[in-house]
Amino acid sequence: MLIDRVVVEVRSGKGGDGCISFLQEKNVPKGGPDGGNGGHGGSVYFVAKKNVNTLLAYRHSKTLQAEDGEKGDKKLRYGRRGSDVIAEVPVGTIVSTEDGQFLCDLKEDGQSYEAAKGGRGGRGNAAFKSSKNRIPRVAENGIPAEKKRLVLELKLLADCALIGFPSVGKSTLLNLASRANVPTADYPFTTLAPNLGVVSLPDGNSYVMADMPGLIEGAHEGKGLGIQFLKHIERCRVLIHLVSMDGERDPYEAYRQIREELVSYGAGLENRPEIVCASKMDAEGAEERKAALEKKLGVKVYGISAYTEEGVLPLLKKAFELVQNTPEFPLYRKEEEEGGIRVYDAHKDAAAAPFVLSHPKSNLWVISGEKIMNEFARYNLSTDEGISRFIALLDKLGVDEALHEKGAKEGDTVMIGDFAFDFVV
Ligand SMILES: Nc1nc2c(ncn2[C@@H]2O[C@H](COP(=O)(O)OP(=O)(O)OP(=O)(O)O)[C@@H](O)[C@H]2O)c(=O)[nH]1
Ligand SMILES: [Mg+2]
C-alpha cells in the first residue's frame, strides 16, 4: 500500500522556569540574587531526506514530542536545554494544517521546517538585578509548549507520467524503460496505485517516470479507480498519453475522453506538454489507425511496441528533451485561485493583535489572545514584584487604554487566565 498521507501531532518542549534564589553562605548574611535562567524547550523539525521514500514511519508514532527545558537553579545554574525532535520525511512532503492550510513544501534534500517551536526559558531573578533593585524577588516562567496537529502529504516526484485507458501497456512500458518490475496483465485496472521508475538513457541522462492507474470516461465522477491518483502527477512536467492501436477502442475517441478527464481534474494538467504515443504497434492494422489518429490530431504521434521494442528509445528521448525544456510546475492550490496562498503563521497572526478584550457581563472584562497569554504564562505572579511587572506590561501593550476606551469603570474586575485584578481609573 502506498502511504502518502498521515496526521501527526507535534509538541514542542516548554521553556524551563527561571529560579528565585538568594545566595546563602555562612559568612555572607545577605547574599545577592543567584537564581539561574530556565533552559529553552526543544523544537520539532521536519527535514526532507532523499533516502526516505515513504511516510510509513509516522503511521504508528503519531506524536512527536520534544523535550522540556529544565528549570533554572540556585547558584546561577542554568536549566538544561530540551532536545529537539528531528523527524525525517521524504523529499516532496507537504506540511499543512488539518483544515487544509498550506504550511510548507519540503522539496529539496536537507530542507527543514520548524513545526513546533520550543518555548524560551524564563530568566531567573539574578537577571533582574539592577542598581535600583538589588534584591529582585521576581523570575520569569518559561514559555509554554506549542501543540498542533499537522498533515503530512507526499506527492510522488516524477518528471513524466504515463496516462491512458487501462490495458494500453503503461506498466509494460515502465518495466521496459526502467528497472521497475510492475505486474502487467490483460485485464483492466491491473495497476491500483502509481509506480515509479528511473529511466536511464544510453547517453547517461535519467529521469523519473510514473506509471499511473488507468483512467476511463467518467473517472472524475468516481468511475473505475477515479481520478484521485492524478494528484501524484501534479508536479510532473510531461505527460505521455498512451493510446492503444489494438483496435479495441477508437483511438481518437479514447484520446479525447482521457483529455476530458484531465480537464475535469481541475489542476491544469491538460496544459502540460504531452506526447501522444500509439502503443501496441505490433497489432494488426496498427499503422492505419496511427496514421488516422495523427491526421485527426494534427500532431506527431510516437508509435511503440513494447513487444518488439520498436520506437521505445525515440519516445524516451523525446520525453527527456521535453522534461529538460519545461519549467517545474508549482503545486495547484485552490487558495491560489482565490487570491494568494494563505500561509498560516501563529506568531505573525498573534503579532497583528496583541490582545483581545471582551466584556461578557457588566463589571467584568476578559483579556485573551495568543500573544498576551504567552506573555502571561511567563510571569511568576506569586510575588508582588511579579504582579507589578505584569501590570506594567499590560499598560505597555495598551490594555489600560483599551479598557478606558471601552468604558470600564473603577472597581470593575479584569481577568486574564486565572488572574483577576480591579480596574483603577
Ligand atoms: N501486443 C502488445 N501487447 C502489449 C504491448 N504492451 C503491453 N501489452 C499487453 O497489454 C496488456 C496490458 O498491459 P499493461 O502494461 O498491464 O497495461 P496498463 O496500461 O498498465 O493497464 P492498467 O494497469 O490496467 O491500467 C498486457 O497483457 C500486456 O502484455 C505491446 O506493445 N504489444
Ligand atoms: Mg498498469
Side-chain angles (χ1 to χ4, degrees):
M1 194 172 86
L2 188 85
I3 304 265
D4 65 347
R5 185 178 191 277
V6 291
V7 179
V8 288
E9 186 166 306
V10 291
R11 293 189 209 163
S12 62
K14 177 188 179 305
D17 296 342
C19 168
I20 301 181
S21 159
F22 295 92
L23 186 68
Q24 289 177 348
E25 274 174 10
K26 267 191 205 149
N27 305 328
V28 189
K30 250 192 182 175
D34 72 344
N37 299 348
H40 300 321
S43 297
V44 178
Y45 295 93
F46 291 119
V47 180
K49 288 278 172 192
K50 63 171 185 259
N51 57 344
V52 178
N53 295 316
T54 67
L55 292 169
L56 204 74
Y58 301 100
R59 194 153 55 135
H60 299 299
S61 65
K62 288 198 163 167
T63 304
L64 302 170
Q65 164 91 65
E67 211 182 5
D68 290 342
E70 280 181 358
K71 286 184 176 158
D73 207 348
K74 56 190 175 195
K75 294 191 180 166
L76 285 175
R77 277 196 294 261
Y78 281 28
R80 202 172 59 81
R81 186 189 181 98
S83 29
D84 296 331
V85 168
I86 312 274
E88 296 189 345
V89 296
V91 174
T93 299
I94 312 270
V95 187
S96 50
T97 62
E98 265 191 315
D99 56 8
Q101 287 176 21
F102 172 81
L103 296 177
C104 180
D105 180 0
L106 292 163
K107 57 182 179 196
E108 273 164 42
D109 186 36
Q111 193 182 339
S112 72
Y113 174 70
E114 186 174 40
K117 194 178 176 55
R120 239 187 40 221
R123 285 177 294 171
N125 69 333
F128 290 90
K129 190 180 162 187
S130 66
S131 54
K132 277 196 203 144
N133 189 353
R134 288 169 176 279
I135 41 168
R137 290 176 195 285
V138 66
E140 285 169 342
N141 288 339
I143 290 191
E146 280 187 347
K147 178 174 145 187
K148 28 185 141 153
R149 283 167 68 79
L150 298 176
V151 178
L152 300 180
E153 227 179 338
L154 175 64
K155 302 205 175 189
L156 298 182
L157 292 176
D159 300 305
C160 87
L162 304 174
I163 56 163
F165 268 92
S167 299
V168 295
K170 299 181 296 295
S171 303
T172 309
L173 176 60
L174 180 80
N175 286 345
L176 191 63
S178 73
R179 283 208 207 131
N181 191 10
V182 172
T184 61
D186 62 357
Y187 56 83
F189 304 119
T190 309
T191 304
L192 298 174
N195 297 298
L196 287 189
V198 178
V199 178
S200 301
L201 294 175
D203 59 9
N205 286 316
S206 67
Y207 57 100
V208 179
M209 180 182 266
D211 161 36
M212 302 301 290
L215 294 168
I216 57 173
E217 185 175 23
H220 69 279
E221 293 163 341
K223 297 234 172 84
L225 292 177
I227 49 173
Q228 52 171 329
F229 295 108
L230 289 179
K231 71 169 192 267
H232 292 293
I233 59 168
E234 282 179 33
R235 281 180 204 258
C236 279
R237 297 183 213 200
V238 174
L239 304 179
I240 302 183
H241 185 160
L242 268 69
V243 185
S244 174
M245 296 296 125
D246 63 5
E248 287 214 354
R249 280 196 181 83
D250 174 67
Y252 179 73
E253 259 316 288
Y255 174 84
R256 208 187 47 71
Q257 285 173 6
I258 297 294
R259 294 291 301 175
E260 273 177 20
E261 295 305 321
L262 290 183
V263 173
S264 301
Y265 180 62
L269 291 177
E270 69 279 11
N271 301 320
R272 301 284 149 100
E274 179 197 59
I275 301 174
V276 185
C277 170
S279 65
K280 306 194 184 179
M281 285 303 291
D282 52 278
E284 231 184 278
E287 283 299 345
E288 295 78 55
R289 291 190 193 99
K290 175 176 172 268
L293 178 65
E294 211 155 29
K295 200 166 161 208
K296 268 193 163 164
L297 293 179
V299 298
K300 178 173 166 60
V301 173
Y302 285 75
I304 63 158
S305 163
Y307 285 7
T308 67
E309 298 193 14
E310 225 180 296
V312 173
L313 190 57
L315 170 76
L316 299 180
K317 283 184 173 166
K318 176 69 190 173
F320 179 69
E321 187 191 308
L322 278 182
V323 166
Q324 286 290 91
N325 297 326
T326 310
E328 216 178 297
F329 287 92
L331 282 179
Y332 168 78
R333 313 230 149 257
K334 254 210 173 106
E335 294 89 324
E336 261 168 4
E337 274 184 357
E338 291 161 7
I341 299 181
R342 276 194 63 192
V343 179
Y344 177 75
D345 183 336
H347 301 286
K348 222 190 221 165
D349 288 357
F355 63 89
V356 179
L357 183 59
S358 52
H359 186 33
K361 60 177 191 182
S362 64
N363 308 330
L364 177 66
W365 301 83
V366 177
I367 304 163
S368 58
E370 195 177 318
K371 183 171 177 179
I372 201 156
M373 290 315 284
N374 270 341
E375 288 289 342
F376 172 66
R378 299 184 64 190
Y379 282 78
N380 180 337
L381 299 176
S382 63
T383 66
D384 287 346
E385 204 171 322
I387 292 174
S388 58
R389 289 183 87 98
F390 183 62
I391 303 270
L393 172 85
L394 294 183
D395 253 3
K396 196 172 126 202
L397 289 178
V399 172
D400 203 47
E401 214 179 301
L403 281 165
H404 270 291
E405 234 169 59
K406 294 255 167 95
K409 295 183 294 294
E410 173 100 25
D412 281 359
T413 304
V414 182
M415 286 202 74
I416 171 162
D418 54 5
F419 179 69
F421 59 94
D422 289 345
F423 182 60
V424 186
V425 181

